[in-house]
Amino acid sequence: MKNLSALLLLLFAVSFFNQEVKALEIPSKYEGIWAYECYDAPYPYHEGTVLIANKDKSTTVKLTFKNGQSVSGKNVKIKEGKLSFEVYVEGNMVKTVLEQKGEKVIGKANSPEGVMNLVVKKKVEK
């Protein structure tokens, strides 16, 4: 009976740690420098880069627009494989949700001007 209890405890512990490892793998697919296009957005916000990093078990997002201005993402979350965050642009909050589809990431940005479609592609480092 003790052997059966020990085996069940071991199986439970292994499954718990296995789930934790899977959770840590999710951010890695978003990490890196990405080029984004959002032609529904006004100039200079329609093109730029997105830097996604994983520091101290939390994901950070930094957007740099075509004019060189940059903003940091707030409330960054990865849930069910989707990356969501908020940025403040010209005093307005823009909620963004991204999801990876093959080599690119697609998503939507919800701003006071309405919902805008985004296409984000991984930048090749030289």
Side-chain angles (χ1 to χ4, degrees):
M1 186 68 162
K2 286 185 179 182
N3 289 339
L4 181 60
S5 297
L7 180 63
L8 289 175
L9 181 62
L10 180 65
L11 288 174
F12 174 75
V14 168
S15 66
F16 175 76
F17 288 115
N18 191 26
Q19 288 177 354
E20 190 171 330
V21 168
K22 287 180 184 176
L24 291 176
E25 290 174 3
I26 292 173
S28 65
K29 71 180 182 181
Y30 290 108
E31 283 185 289
I33 300 173
W34 301 75
Y36 82 86
E37 297 174 347
C38 182
Y39 289 108
D40 298 330
Y43 181 86
Y45 308 116
H46 66 277
E47 290 180 341
T49 60
V50 182
L51 171 62
I52 302 170
N54 194 11
K55 296 179 181 176
D56 301 325
K57 296 184 182 181
S58 66
T59 304
T60 61
V61 175
K62 182 178 179 182
L63 276 95
T64 303
F65 304 117
K66 192 171 184 161
N67 67 356
Q69 176 189 5
S70 62
V71 293
S72 295
K74 307 285 185 210
N75 300 319
V76 180
K77 298 176 187 162
I78 296 178
K79 187 176 181 181
E80 298 175 7
K82 296 180 181 181
L83 173 67
S84 64
F85 58 92
E86 301 168 350
V87 291
Y88 286 90
V89 180
E90 294 184 6
N92 296 309
M93 182 175 52
V94 179
K95 293 182 180 181
T96 305
V97 178
L98 303 174
E99 182 175 12
Q100 190 163 16
K101 299 282 187 179
E103 292 294 312
K104 62 184 174 181
V105 174
I106 59 170
K108 299 202 179 288
N110 191 354
S111 74
E113 286 82 30
V115 178
M116 300 175 213
N117 294 314
L118 292 167
V119 177
V120 185
K121 297 178 185 174
K122 191 83 158 187
K123 286 188 87 170
V124 178
E125 295 183 29
K126 297 178 182 179

